[in-house]
């Protein structure tokens, strides 16, 4: 049996394990009041995501020698929450109680940490609490798949947002009017959405830098042996090896074009015109960096989205095919079977 980890309040006067020094931060770089986060944990949340958010804030306090950030963990019912790895985490109260107190704390913010099955957590009570926080104009940070809950509560409107790539296709097909970016995290007004997992670390460092300056942010990265933190606009779906380098950036632009035109695929000639490269240059880039052809990679992107829609939504198979740029169900089924070695309909069977 997994032993629950006890939630405790942060004591900035303590000497924390792994922190061998404290570094003073210029007062001009330190916010006047501590930022306080209520972190809502939903069943099946990612421990990696939670740690990636909290640890940089803990280190900011320890390295600065003052309480820059405070947080408390809450759950929907005030009981302990099991993470995706099965480890139970104790919380300090229920979300409904925390939501009542939030509007009276000027430095308060809400962070929601969700994982698989996020659709099951939508309820009238949760929607009402989220809308109350939204009306109070408090910052809301949606991590991992929690963007789904903000969309369900009607808080996103025309705001730009992101979500973990595994849920992106289902989110776009369920909430048609959302402006979804393939990004690590997106800030739009009071709403901040994040892909979760290690992207939560990049968001946490961005929060520290915004409130306390670059020096402290760099010190945290140095302490956790991270040579950098990523910009929020960086893509989640970048193939390995393409994030850096001029040649990789050329190919990345082509891949991003493909990802944005799944329902109505572009021809290689249309892509060539948009990126100012010849057809042969594009083919060489894919062969050199991804060991495939442009069309094979494009087909893989479309089929990957199709599988997400089949597994995560109730869309009819024919609608999935159309949403992924296939003109006939027979062509779609054959392509899907060749790629995944299983028919689309089998993924909807009780055994699957």
């Amino acid at each position: 049996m997994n032993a629950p980890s006890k939630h405790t309040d942060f004591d900035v006067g303590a000497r924390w394990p792994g922190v061998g020094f404290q570094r003073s931060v210029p007062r001009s770089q330190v916010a006047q009041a501590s930022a306080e986060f209520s972190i809502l944990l939903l069943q099946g949340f990612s421990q990696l995501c939670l740690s990636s958010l909290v640890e940089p804030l803990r280190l900011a306090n320890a390295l600065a020698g003052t309480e820059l950030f405070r947080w408390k963990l809450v759950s929907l019912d005030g009981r302990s929450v099991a993470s995706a790895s099965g480890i139970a985490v104790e919380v300090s109260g229920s979300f409904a109680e925390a939501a009542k107190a939030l509007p009276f704390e000027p430095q308060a913010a809400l962070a929601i940490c969700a994982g698989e099955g996020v659709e099951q957590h939508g309820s009238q009570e949760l929607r009402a609490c989220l809308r109350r926080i939204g009306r109070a104009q408090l910052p809301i940070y949606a991590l991992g798949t929690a963007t789904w809950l903000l969309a369900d509560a009607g808080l996103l409107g025309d705001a730009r947002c992101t979500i973990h790539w595994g849920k992106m296709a289902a989110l776009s097909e369920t909430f048609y009017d959302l402006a979804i970016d393939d990004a690590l995290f997106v800030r739009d007004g009071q709403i901040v959405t994040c892909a979760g997992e290690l992207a939560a670390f990049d968001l946490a460092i961005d929060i520290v830098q915004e409130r306390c300056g670059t020096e402290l942010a760099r010190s945290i990265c140095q302490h956790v042996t991270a040579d950098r933190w990523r910009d929020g606009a960086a893509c989640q779906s970048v193939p390995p090896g393409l994030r850096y380098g001029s040649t990789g950036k050329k190919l990345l632009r082509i891949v991003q074009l493909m990802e944005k035109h799944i329902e109505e695929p572009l021809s290689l000639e249309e892509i060539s015109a948009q990126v100012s490269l010849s057809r042969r240059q594009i083919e060489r880039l894919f062969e050199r960096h991804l060991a495939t052809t442009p069309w094979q990679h494009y087909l893989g992107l479309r089929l990957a989205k199709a599988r997400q829609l089949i597994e995560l939504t109730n869309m009819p198979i024919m609608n999935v095919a159309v949403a992924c740029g296939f003109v006939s169900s027979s062509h779609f089924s054959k392509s899907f079977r060749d790629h995944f070695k299983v028919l689309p309909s089998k993924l909807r069977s009780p055994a699957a």
Side-chain angles (χ1 to χ4, degrees):
M1 175 180 288
N2 292 316
S5 62
K6 182 66 177 176
H7 169 65
T8 57
D9 292 329
F10 184 83
D11 179 7
V12 293
R15 175 70 65 178
W16 286 85
V19 178
F21 66 98
Q22 292 183 337
R23 177 180 297 175
S24 298
V25 178
R27 288 293 176 186
S28 61
Q29 295 184 13
V30 177
Q32 294 299 315
S34 300
E36 181 168 350
F37 291 86
S38 289
I39 305 176
L40 171 60
L41 302 180
L42 298 177
Q43 293 291 336
F45 75 93
S46 165
Q47 281 191 303
L48 177 60
C49 179
L50 176 62
S51 297
S52 295
L53 174 70
V54 171
E55 283 300 296
L57 304 184
R58 176 186 74 83
L59 283 168
N61 289 350
L63 295 175
T66 187
E67 190 178 59
L68 304 174
F69 301 97
R70 299 171 60 195
W71 56 88
K72 61 181 178 181
L73 306 182
V74 297
S75 66
L76 291 176
D77 57 8
R79 299 178 181 177
S80 63
V81 185
S83 67
S85 58
I87 299 176
V89 176
E90 293 291 335
V91 299
S92 60
S94 73
F95 175 56
E97 295 172 351
K100 292 178 182 178
L102 276 173
F104 305 103
E105 298 289 342
Q107 296 294 323
L110 170 68
I112 311 173
C113 194
E116 291 296 329
V118 64
E119 308 93 326
Q120 303 170 11
H121 297 297
S123 66
Q124 191 58 43
E125 182 182 15
L126 178 58
R127 295 185 195 100
C129 288
L130 290 176
R131 289 167 184 163
R132 182 167 184 253
I133 293 170
R135 288 193 297 270
Q137 294 296 305
L138 294 177
I140 302 176
Y141 297 81
L143 310 178
T145 62
T147 304
W148 191 286
L149 298 174
L150 301 189
D152 183 54
L155 292 182
L156 293 180
D158 58 356
R160 292 171 52 249
C161 66
T162 191
I163 194 170
H164 187 274
W165 65 267
K167 213 71 170 178
M168 199 172 294
L171 182 70
S172 65
E173 293 297 331
T174 305
F175 303 96
Y176 300 104
D177 56 346
L178 295 184
I180 305 172
D181 286 355
D182 177 14
L184 298 180
F185 61 88
V186 175
R187 293 179 176 271
D188 196 319
Q190 73 182 102
I191 303 293
V192 182
T193 52
C194 174
E197 309 301 347
L198 291 177
F201 173 82
D202 302 300
L203 173 59
I205 295 297
D206 188 75
I207 293 171
V208 171
Q209 182 187 38
E210 181 183 49
R211 291 184 62 86
C212 310
T214 302
E215 180 182 350
L216 183 56
R218 288 176 177 168
S219 296
I220 294 171
C221 287
Q222 181 182 17
H223 192 83
V224 300
T225 66
D227 61 346
R228 71 184 79 188
W229 68 94
R230 298 170 293 178
D231 184 84
C235 293
Q236 298 179 48
S237 57
V238 177
L242 297 189
R243 193 174 297 278
Y244 307 108
S246 59
T247 304
K249 289 179 180 178
K250 292 178 182 178
L251 184 50
L252 175 58
R253 186 181 173 194
I254 299 170
V255 172
Q256 290 173 332
L257 267 177
M258 291 177 172
E259 291 173 339
K260 291 178 180 178
H261 295 84
I262 295 292
E263 187 170 351
E264 297 180 0
L266 300 174
S267 68
L268 193 52
E269 287 71 20
E270 290 173 318
I271 294 175
S272 175
Q274 292 199 40
V275 300
S276 301
L277 293 172
S278 70
R279 180 188 180 108
R280 184 56 185 149
Q281 286 176 312
I282 294 175
E283 291 172 342
R284 286 173 178 168
L285 285 174
F286 275 88
E287 181 179 357
R288 181 184 309 162
H289 292 274
L290 300 180
T292 187
T293 67
W295 185 249
Q296 287 173 332
H297 186 80
Y298 207 168
L299 179 62
L301 292 175
R302 294 159 58 199
L303 291 172
K305 177 178 179 179
R307 179 157 192 162
Q308 289 181 26
L309 294 177
I310 291 171
E311 293 180 336
L312 301 176
T313 74
N314 294 319
M315 290 176 63
I317 298 296
M318 187 60 213
N319 290 6
V320 171
V322 172
C324 298
F326 293 89
V327 295
S328 72
S329 58
S330 60
H331 180 216
F332 169 65
S333 294
K334 182 181 184 303
S335 300
F336 194 95
R337 182 187 60 196
D338 291 344
H339 191 79
F340 293 114
K341 310 305 178 186
V342 63
L343 286 171
S345 57
K346 293 295 184 182
L347 294 180
R348 290 272 174 88
S349 68

